[in-house]
Amino acid sequence: MLVSMKAILADANEHNYGVMAMNSINIEMARAGILAAEEEHSPIIIQFGPGQMKNHAHMEEMVPVVKELAARVHVPVALNLDHGSDFHIIADCINAGFTNVMFDGSSLEYEENVKRTAIISALAHGMGCSVEGELGHVGQAADADDDNLDLYTNPDQALDFVSRTGVDALAVAIGTAHGAYPKGKIPRLDFERLHLLKETLKMPLVLHGGSGSGEENLKKAVAGGINKINVCTDAWQAGKDAMLKALEEKPETDYMHLCMAAEEGIKQFVKDYMKVIGSSGRYIYGESVSGSRE
Ligand code: 13P
């Protein structure tokens, strides 16, 4: 069932587990994620960003697909706009039925980030849609932004940001970055900062750049208060790997069976990920096993 992201993250925050938010750019990916969630009795967040919607995951096509797939399962599914920045696109997504929008003002000067995020929050909340903001800046792994301490989130500033913007979840910069890290590198996360952020904010926190973080980091991040983990690069790689394997085993494999192989590969990847971040087994017959649904 399609639900607000706020409801999913409220349960995760209360019971200290992480929920996967997968950038799902076609039917196969959305179906892989949602069916994996059903089999794992786990919530899931399906998301795409403005660039992905422009290139391939066209909003008019993908929103009905996600709504239809979500309606077929018992577990909670949210639909999130990832890294929104353009006001018109965000408004279109809210009108189309996204159950959360992210406004990413993390590259703006602080007061401008506060101002714009607060406007988006007021608009979205009035339409029953929740909001994720970002403070600090999660940059690119290719630029080694994960090592740039200047970009990390300041807990005191974060408290001011949340109280003035009313966001429902906050993306924090604690040492991850988007995209693939250089070969062999596993990022070093600032768990002390995460602990301070959680203690100060007591709200759902989001980790962007989940790919390549390593199982141990992910588990520690969830234990430290991360409730939503964004995953794109690793999920796309799982689909690509499955296609390559199918081709290697049988070079004459046709297009349909390549798509099916990719879907199966992504589904398995998602199921494994859910076990690592603790969301497996949280919902039975649509109800949180801990009984704390909003
Ligand atoms: P990765 O591609 O590093 O998983 O990052 C995804 C992300 O954070 C989307 O917002």
Side-chain angles (χ1 to χ4, degrees):
M1 61 195 155
L2 193 67
V3 303
S4 92
M5 192 171 99
K6 185 179 174 179
I8 289 180
L9 294 187
D11 194 72
N13 184 39
E14 188 177 347
H15 299 289
N16 198 216
Y17 63 92
V19 180
M20 191 177 188
M22 180 167 69
N23 292 70
S24 312
I25 46 72
N26 59 14
I27 295 183
E28 288 80 7
M29 280 198 84
R31 195 164 47 207
I34 290 169
L35 292 182
E38 181 79 337
E39 286 178 23
E40 281 299 310
H41 302 282
S42 162
I44 188 161
I45 298 158
I46 300 295
Q47 62 181 15
F48 14 84
Q52 292 160 357
M53 291 197 292
K54 191 163 172 233
N55 283 331
H56 192 72
H58 306 300
M59 190 198 302
E60 300 77 7
E61 297 154 5
M62 285 302 291
V63 172
V65 164
V66 174
K67 284 182 178 169
E68 167 64 25
L69 293 170
R72 291 183 195 171
V73 296
H74 297 95
V75 290
V77 178
L79 175 57
N80 175 42
L81 168 68
D82 191 26
H83 291 290
S85 58
D86 180 279
F87 182 83
H88 298 284
I89 294 178
I90 293 173
D92 283 349
C93 288
I94 296 171
N95 282 324
F98 279 61
T99 64
N100 190 84
V101 288
M102 177 196 187
F103 175 70
D104 180 2
S106 65
S107 298
L108 301 169
E109 184 268 325
Y110 178 66
E111 285 299 328
E112 194 60 25
N113 188 5
V114 170
K115 192 170 107 188
R116 293 195 198 184
T117 307
I119 291 170
I120 298 296
S121 268
L123 172 82
H125 289 158
M127 305 274 290
C129 178
S130 55
V131 176
E132 174 185 335
E134 178 167 329
L135 188 67
H137 178 68
V138 181
Q140 299 299 321
D143 299 333
D145 284 337
D146 46 301
D147 293 327
N148 185 350
L149 299 186
D150 293 342
L151 301 178
Y152 288 19
T153 309
N154 174 306
D156 292 332
Q157 195 179 47
L159 185 60
D160 181 65
F161 183 82
V162 169
S163 66
R164 289 171 65 195
T165 59
V167 292
D168 305 288
L170 186 69
V172 292
I174 55 164
T176 57
H178 295 97
Y181 296 100
K183 208 169 164 43
K185 178 176 181 182
I186 294 185
R188 233 190 21 204
L189 272 56
D190 187 344
F191 291 110
E192 211 171 300
R193 186 180 300 260
L194 174 61
H195 178 73
L196 253 179
L197 282 162
K198 193 70 176 187
E199 207 176 55
T200 309
L201 302 173
K202 300 179 175 55
M203 67 184 291
L205 300 180
V206 182
L207 187 75
H208 279 244
S211 296
S213 296
E215 208 172 302
E216 201 188 322
N217 271 336
L218 289 177
K219 283 186 171 158
K220 279 173 81 175
V222 169
I226 291 292
N227 303 113
K228 170 178 181 260
I229 301 175
N230 283 18
V231 186
C232 179
T233 306
D234 279 355
W236 291 11
Q237 189 65 43
K240 183 176 167 183
D241 285 347
M243 281 180 157
L244 289 173
K245 185 164 175 276
L247 275 177
E248 205 174 288
E249 284 169 8
K250 201 172 152 205
E252 66 275 22
T253 305
D254 64 29
Y255 177 66
M256 183 178 81
H257 286 87
L258 283 181
C259 291
M260 289 165 66
E263 182 170 331
E264 196 47 42
I266 293 166
K267 189 174 159 195
Q268 196 51 54
F269 166 76
V270 173
K271 289 179 74 168
D272 293 344
Y273 211 94
M274 286 169 163
K275 290 187 181 88
V276 170
I277 64 176
S279 67
S280 291
R282 294 284 172 175
Y283 283 81
I284 306 294
Y285 298 120
E287 293 299 321
S288 163
V289 282
S290 355
S292 72
R293 297 282 307 289
E294 271 201 346

